[in-house]
Amino acid sequence: MDLRVKDICKEQNILFKELAERIGISDVALRKQVQGNPSLRTLETIADALGVSVVELFEKPEPSNGITCPHCGKP
């Protein structure tokens, strides 16, 4: 499963460790969840902590001109 959690964290300037703290688990556990097959409840928790919808955890943003910022990854 290819989730955009790392990309969204980078866009919002949130460390993975900070996200893990927000949802009350260790950063190692969060990494395992993101790389594995997380439950819908876990996806909802992550999405809520990031202020995005669950769908946004899966969607890849369409670049407007194909150029992305090397610092934040935004188009």
Side-chain angles (χ1 to χ4, degrees), residues 1 3 6-7 15 18-19 21 24 26 30 34-38 41-42 49 51-52 63 68-69 71:
M1 185 175 301
L3 295 177
K6 282 186 179 181
D7 294 336
L15 296 175
E18 291 175 59
L19 176 59
E21 289 173 4
S26 71
L30 177 59
V34 170
Q35 292 171 355
N37 189 14
R41 170 167 262 163
T42 299
V52 299
T68 57
C69 174
H71 301 287

Side-chain angles (χ1 to χ4, degrees), residues 42-53:
T42 299
L43 293 172
E44 289 171 340
T45 302
I46 292 169
D48 286 344
L50 290 171
V52 299
S53 69

Side-chain angles (χ1 to χ4, degrees), residues 9 13-24 27 30 49:
C9 284
N13 293 318
I14 298 171
L15 296 175
F16 225 64
K17 186 173 184 171
E18 291 175 59
L19 176 59
E21 289 173 4
R22 285 185 187 183
I23 62 176
D27 58 329
L30 177 59

